[in-house]
Amino acid sequence: LDEAVGFAAERGRLVGERARPGAMAAVRGDEDTVAELVSASGGSLSVAAVNGPDQVVISGAGDAVDRALAELRSRGVAARRLPVSHAFHSPLLEPVLDPLGDAAKALAVKSATVPMLSTVTGDWGPDLAPAYWQAHAVQPVRFGAAVVRLVEEGYDTFVELGPGNTLAGAVRAVARLT
């Protein structure tokens, strides 16, 4: 536990010191609609997460996110900026990848006693080597797809740990569709 907390703190420190500031926004739209907008941004936006069939998060430079929000609203698509300081799960975190990998090398990774499904790779029991944590920082989180897989494999109880219930709603929406 001490190592995990220390790693999380180091990740936060690295992001605060080395990553360019950015923004994120939650969009009530399907991934195809959002991907079209991201593609038109010329690389200034990326899909950060797909939490459900109509719950997508975009990430990028603050001005690009603001332009995307204005465009989405003009189309009648509900979207809101998230209260974050950086563009997590985007290329804006690339400056932290090498030091994040170095920090992950210090972790004593043990075999899991509880099965873990990666929301980035979609694999059970992902290799938690430094490359995994580096990929996790910049690649989209496919939370909705992970929930679909879990439901299809018979899981029916989900618990959200954190300050809110953001993902609990996504679990309910995705589980109804499977």
Side-chain angles (χ1 to χ4, degrees), residues 104-121:
K105 287 177 188 172
L107 295 174
V109 178
K110 301 174 185 170
S111 296
T113 57
V114 175
M116 177 185 155
L117 179 67
S118 170
T119 58
V120 174
T121 67

Side-chain angles (χ1 to χ4, degrees), residues 6 49 57 67 72 84 86 93 98 104 106 123 125 132 134 158 161 172 176:
V57 177
R67 284 191 302 276
L72 289 162
V84 298
H86 288 77
L93 289 190
D98 288 339
D123 297 328
Y132 175 83
Q134 291 169 315
F158 296 83
L161 302 175
R172 282 190 293 277
R176 278 193 297 268

Side-chain angles (χ1 to χ4, degrees), residues 36-111:
E36 174 189 317
L37 187 66
V38 166
S39 179
S41 77
S44 59
L45 291 175
S46 60
V47 172
V50 182
N51 293 330
D54 68 347
Q55 297 179 24
V56 179
V57 177
I58 59 172
S59 189
D63 59 339
V65 169
D66 290 339
R67 284 191 302 276
L69 286 170
E71 174 63 24
L72 289 162
R73 290 177 185 144
S74 77
R75 297 180 189 181
V77 176
R80 66 179 175 84
R81 193 165 173 162
L82 298 175
V84 298
S85 59
H86 288 77
F88 297 99
H89 305 291
S90 85
L92 290 180
L93 289 190
E94 287 176 357
V96 306
L97 295 184
D98 288 339
L100 183 65
D102 291 341
K105 287 177 188 172
L107 295 174
V109 178
K110 301 174 185 170
S111 296

